[in-house]
């Protein structure tokens, strides 16, 4: 069962129907969304557990259950040692480094891991899944370092911090404090889970950490696409552009879905603009040749690429996000550990579903598409601040001064903002190199081809965060430019966005530091305030842009 758009409904997981939207909602709203295990899933889980126990009783070697892990598969142990083996796998992987993953990433990880195990092929107890959900519903979160996983054999290092917490070890964050797990369990009247065969391996041998990063990155990337369309529309107005570039005829004849949708969104945002005009209106301003065989047009009939080709750029992000969403929906509903138990055939299968290649490829593609948005917006900003290209706006968007005003010549407006924007863009572009091609052979050449998905997914979120900073700078400049141009002639969309930003960022009348302004607009971006305004305009009703485009 999915979560309602208002988040009022709970969520039932069954291993088959979880969506990226669900992950994002639970990750960002935390314990306000109650999550429970589907009864049918409980039955399947217990059937696979029964099969596991029956197979152990035969004395046959079962990977990671009665054998060692990875390259140590050739070591078989007795059934009496299986529980301790599972506790140890969660211990010897406790070697993560780097910053701690954000709370929303940890929540998403817990939800996805529970859902993948709910598919019922991992040979574990339903009690294990329910403990994950109890942690989620009480917002009990292990601290998980971001670094240490190569994305196959699953996210071993990050997920072992989750397994350790399930077994009552280590520390967890609860009610704002980092506390011993055992003490938090006691406060919640819960007992630590005593591991049995396969429990530790099932918890850590999966793609859930990478998938959580990826799901959140995808949501943020789709918000970037919508706000890039807003920026393009406002830039077209600031430059007195030609909104005919977004006419459906053009894009119907190169019908990539993302390109068509992007053009339609920009056109809708500009529909009532008195600054960006239709092509026929622009032609009407040219005056014609008269009796001459040459004339210089007073207004260009065609805008530069960063405006005119914006749907072709933003559309790539839209289309990339579309297939990436499909891949992630499959991934978060998969059995991605090893081995897997087939209760219908009473057999166990050894394979490699822990390989997170689809996540890695999707995130490498997303970060490239998003970095291209930064480049597009940085070029738009250059046109707007540069008096050689901004069609009569002031140099660097400085305030207009009356003749004889002492301040004339002393101010440089958005010159520094444009420099900062270019620096941030360069960093985003530099960080967009694919991670998935940097496979490393590890673990005694047992893991000799790995996905690097967690690095790709973390990179994607980092690139997106940089592009959000570019968006913030550009939006502040666009408000300044449209105000200089004449707010009364701007579209309704530009006026509404201008109003929202002006509640936090004043007009730049005199040179000042603008770092606080950037931070304020970043908050408007990340809280969905601005995307909510755009969705109201495009769809007539506010809906979370981080969910669907």
């Amino acid at each position: 069962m999915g979560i309602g758009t208002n988040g009022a409904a709970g969520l039932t997981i069954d291993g088959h129907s979880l969506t990226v939207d669900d992950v994002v909602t639970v990750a960002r709203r935390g314990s306000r969304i109650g999550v429970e295990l589907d009864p049918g899933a409980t039955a399947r889980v217990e059937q696979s557990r029964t099969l596991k126990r029956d197979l152990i009783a035969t004395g046959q070697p079962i990977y990671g259950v009665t054998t060692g892990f990875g390259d140590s598969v050739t070591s078989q142990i007795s059934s009496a040692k299986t529980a301790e083996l599972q506790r140890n796998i969660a211990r010897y992987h406790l070697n993560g480094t780097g910053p701690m993953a954000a709370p929303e990433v940890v929540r998403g990880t817990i939800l996805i891991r529970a859902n993948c195990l709910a598919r019922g092929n991992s040979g574990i107890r339903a009690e294990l899944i329910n403990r994950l959900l109890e942690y989620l519903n009480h917002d009990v979160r292990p601290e998980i370092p971001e670094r240490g996983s190569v994305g196959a054999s699953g996210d071993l290092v990050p997920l072992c911090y989750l397994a350790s917490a399930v077994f009552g070890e280590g520390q967890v964050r609860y009610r704002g404090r980092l506390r011993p797990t055992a003490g938090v369990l006691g406060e919640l009247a819960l007992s630590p889970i005593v591991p049995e065969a396969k429990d530790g391996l099932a918890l850590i041998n999966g793609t859930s950490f990478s998938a959580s990063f990826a799901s959140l990155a995808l949501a943020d990337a789709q918000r970037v696409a919508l706000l890039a369309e807003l920026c393009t529309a406002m830039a077209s107005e600031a430059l007195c552009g030609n909104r005919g570039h977004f006419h459906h005829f053009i894009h119907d004849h190169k019908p990539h879905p993302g390109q068509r949708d992007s053009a339609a969104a920009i056109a809708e945002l500009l529909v009532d603009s008195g600054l960006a005009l239709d092509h026929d209106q622009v032609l009407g301003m040219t005056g014609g040749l008269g009796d001459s065989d040459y004339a210089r047009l007073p207004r260009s009939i065609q805008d530069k690429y960063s405006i005119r080709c914006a749907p072709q750029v933003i559309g790539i992000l839209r289309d990339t996000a579309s297939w990436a969403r499909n891949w992630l929906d499959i991934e978060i509903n998969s059995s991605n550990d090893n081995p897997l138990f087939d209760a219908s055939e009473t057999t166990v299968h050894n394979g490699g579903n822990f390989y997170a290649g689809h996540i890695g490829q999707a995130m490498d593609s997303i970060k490239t598409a998003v970095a291209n948005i930064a480049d597009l917006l940085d070029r738009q900003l250059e046109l707007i601040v540069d008096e050689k290209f901004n069609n009569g706006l002031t140099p660097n968007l400085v305030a207009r001064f009356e003749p004889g005003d002492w301040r004339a010549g002393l101010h440089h407006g958005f010159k520094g903002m444009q420099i900062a924007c270019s620096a941030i863009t360069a960093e985003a572009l530099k960080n967009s190199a694919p991670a998935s091609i940097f496979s490393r052979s590890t673990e005694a050449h047992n893991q000799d081809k790995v996905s690097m998905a967690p690095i790709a997914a973390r990179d994607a979120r980092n690139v997106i965060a940089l592009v959000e900073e570019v968006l913030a700078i550009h939006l502040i400049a666009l408000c300044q430019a449209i105000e200089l141009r004449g707010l009364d002639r701007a579209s309704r969309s530009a006026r509404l966005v201008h109003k929202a930003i002006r509640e936090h960022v004043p007009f730049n009348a005199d040179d000042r530091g603008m770092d606080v302004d950037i931070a304020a607009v970043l908050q408007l971006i990340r809280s969905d305030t601005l995307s909510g305004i755009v969705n109201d305009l495009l769809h007539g009703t506010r809906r979370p842009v981080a969910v669907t485009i």
Side-chain angles (χ1 to χ4, degrees), residues 39-60:
T42 300
R44 292 193 303 272
V45 168
E46 293 299 338
Q47 287 170 1
S48 73
R49 180 201 183 197
T50 297
L51 172 60
K52 173 199 69 179
R53 298 174 78 174
D54 290 345
L55 292 174
I56 291 173
T58 69
Q60 66 174 282

Side-chain angles (χ1 to χ4, degrees), residues 26-91:
V26 171
R28 290 185 167 157
R29 297 184 184 177
S31 57
R32 287 175 287 176
I33 306 295
V35 187
E36 62 183 7
L37 181 62
D38 178 76
T42 300
R44 292 193 303 272
V45 168
E46 293 299 338
Q47 287 170 1
S48 73
R49 180 201 183 197
T50 297
L51 172 60
K52 173 199 69 179
R53 298 174 78 174
D54 290 345
L55 292 174
I56 291 173
T58 69
Q60 66 174 282
I62 305 171
Y63 172 73
V65 177
T66 58
T67 75
F69 304 112
D71 183 64
S72 303
V73 66
T74 53
S75 300
Q76 186 174 0
I77 61 172
S78 70
S79 59
K81 294 184 175 183
T82 56
E84 189 63 19
L85 181 70
Q86 298 304 308
R87 195 180 292 277
N88 281 346
I89 194 175
R91 287 172 173 165

Side-chain angles (χ1 to χ4, degrees), residues 214-415:
S215 297
L216 292 161
L218 178 62
D220 292 344
Q222 291 184 292
R223 181 174 59 205
V224 164
L226 189 70
L227 293 181
E229 287 151 4
L230 167 67
C231 285
T232 298
M234 293 178 70
S236 180
E237 294 194 83
L239 294 168
C240 292
N242 183 340
R243 68 175 184 242
H245 300 323
F246 313 112
H247 193 282
H248 69 85
F249 177 87
I250 300 168
H251 305 280
D252 286 347
H253 286 277
K254 191 177 181 182
H256 293 292
Q259 177 182 328
R260 293 176 69 186
D261 290 347
S262 185
I266 298 168
E268 179 64 24
L269 293 172
L270 288 173
V271 71
D272 59 346
S273 176
L275 294 171
L277 304 180
D278 284 328
H279 187 65
D280 289 345
Q281 292 174 300
V282 174
L283 287 179
M285 300 174 68
T286 60
L289 284 172
D291 295 331
S292 174
D293 61 1
Y294 169 80
R296 185 166 182 83
L297 297 177
R299 180 162 172 162
S300 175
I301 64 171
Q302 185 167 275
D303 298 332
K304 290 183 167 55
Y305 281 18
S306 62
I307 304 295
R308 181 169 24 123
C309 300
Q312 286 85 348
V313 177
I314 303 169
I316 294 170
L317 175 55
R318 280 178 170 264
D319 285 335
T320 302
S322 178
W323 60 256
R325 172 177 288 273
N326 180 57
W327 284 9
L328 288 179
D329 279 341
I330 292 171
E331 189 74 34
I332 64 178
N333 289 288
S334 66
S335 292
N336 46 62
D337 57 314
N338 175 58
L340 300 177
F341 294 88
D342 183 350
S344 64
E345 298 292 335
T346 63
T347 190
V348 61
H349 298 276
N350 295 82
N353 280 359
F354 47 70
Y355 191 91
H358 282 82
I359 296 176
Q361 182 66 37
M363 290 298 101
D364 279 346
S365 300
I366 283 289
K367 68 186 178 187
T368 301
V370 171
N372 263 298
I373 299 297
D375 193 38
L376 177 82
L377 301 180
D378 183 49
R379 295 303 83 209
Q380 290 180 2
L381 180 60
E382 156 58 24
L383 296 179
I384 291 165
V385 303
D386 192 334
E387 62 181 313
K388 297 186 295 295
F389 306 108
N390 65 17
N391 293 336
L393 289 170
T394 57
N396 300 303
L397 304 181
V398 298
R400 299 188 191 278
F401 299 117
E402 295 295 331
D405 192 317
W406 168 259
R407 295 175 296 171
L410 292 178
H411 296 282
H412 292 79
F414 281 74
K415 186 185 288 287

Side-chain angles (χ1 to χ4, degrees), residues 441-486:
S441 181
T442 187
E443 203 262 300
H445 290 297
N446 173 56
Q447 299 176 16
D448 58 352
K449 174 61 177 171
V450 294
S451 73
M452 296 298 179
I455 299 174
R458 287 193 287 111
D459 281 352
R461 290 210 79 194
N462 292 338
V463 169
I464 290 165
L466 290 168
V467 179
E468 289 171 339
E469 293 177 4
V470 170
L471 279 165
I473 291 173
H474 195 23
L475 284 164
I476 296 168
L478 287 166
C479 287
Q480 181 91 356
I482 288 177
E483 201 163 335
L484 288 169
R485 188 70 77 182

Side-chain angles (χ1 to χ4, degrees), residues 483-503:
E483 201 163 335
L484 288 169
R485 188 70 77 182
L487 189 60
D488 59 323
R489 299 162 59 202
S491 65
R492 179 169 179 259
S493 60
R495 295 195 306 271
L496 288 172
V497 170
H498 173 274
K499 180 177 183 294
I501 291 175
R502 281 288 175 261
E503 290 176 357

